[in-house]
């Protein structure tokens, strides 16, 4: 069993920055592909970023590329999402997710096995 807990969300003005953290309980954290997704009211959950076990491979949605950075610290069993140059359209609940298999889509929410409760990010204009 894997438990994920997100933190670091809040209210920020457009152009500002936030750093989200996801703390994992899994002792085999290093074996999982980790991802961040977000969901705005009335919209489906969408892919934001993903990172492999070592951090050597990352993937970003086009909407956040160049502004967001995903990273992980396996010793601390924590994954991070550094969000810079935030825009109002980034407003959403952000979810951390863990995926066992590397053979299925890293951009599809249904392919992930474990999810956190989410943390709210609100960007004002």
């Amino acid at each position: 069993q894997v438990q994920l807990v997100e933190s670091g969300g809040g209210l920020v003005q457009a152009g500002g920055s936030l750093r989200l953290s996801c703390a994992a309980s899994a002792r085999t954290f290093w074996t999982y592909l980790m991802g961040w997704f977000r969901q705005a009211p009335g919209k489906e959950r969408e892919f934001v970023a993903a990172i492999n076990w070592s951090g050597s491979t990352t993937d970003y949605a086009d909407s956040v590329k160049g502004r967001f950075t995903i990273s992980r610290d396996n010793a601390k069993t924590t994954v991070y999402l550094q969000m810079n140059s935030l825009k109002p359209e980034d407003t959403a609940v952000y979810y951390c997710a863990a995926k066992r298999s590397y053979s299925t889509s890293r951009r599809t929410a249904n392919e992930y096995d474990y999810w956190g409760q989410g943390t709210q990010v609100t960007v004002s204009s």
Side-chain angles (χ1 to χ4, degrees):
Q1 300 296 321
V2 177
Q3 294 180 339
L4 305 173
V5 180
E6 303 96 335
S7 62
L11 176 64
V12 65
Q13 289 184 301
S17 298
L18 285 174
R19 186 196 191 202
L20 305 184
S21 298
C22 173
S25 64
R27 293 188 294 179
T28 56
F29 176 75
W30 67 273
T31 67
Y32 291 91
L33 183 146
M34 301 297 298
W36 285 97
F37 290 76
R38 66 187 183 186
Q39 188 167 22
K43 301 182 68 176
E44 65 182 8
R45 191 167 298 186
E46 65 178 1
F47 170 78
V48 176
I51 188 168
N52 75 334
W53 71 270
S54 69
S56 62
T57 301
T58 57
D59 189 26
Y60 297 94
D62 289 341
S63 60
V64 306
K65 191 171 297 183
R67 299 188 297 120
F68 291 10
T69 302
I70 187 171
S71 61
R72 68 191 295 166
D73 186 334
N74 290 334
K76 297 183 180 294
T77 65
T78 301
V79 63
Y80 305 95
L81 185 68
Q82 179 66 46
M83 305 185 295
N84 299 326
S85 301
L86 283 163
K87 305 174 181 179
E89 50 263 46
D90 295 318
T91 295
V93 176
Y94 283 70
Y95 296 91
C96 178
K99 187 174 184 294
R100 299 176 191 169
S101 176
Y102 282 70
S103 63
T104 57
S105 176
R106 62 197 174 201
R107 291 174 168 243
T108 304
N110 288 341
E111 299 292 345
Y112 284 75
D113 302 291
Y114 305 101
W115 293 86
Q117 295 298 310
T119 184
Q120 177 71 47
V121 172
T122 302
V123 184
S124 64
S125 59

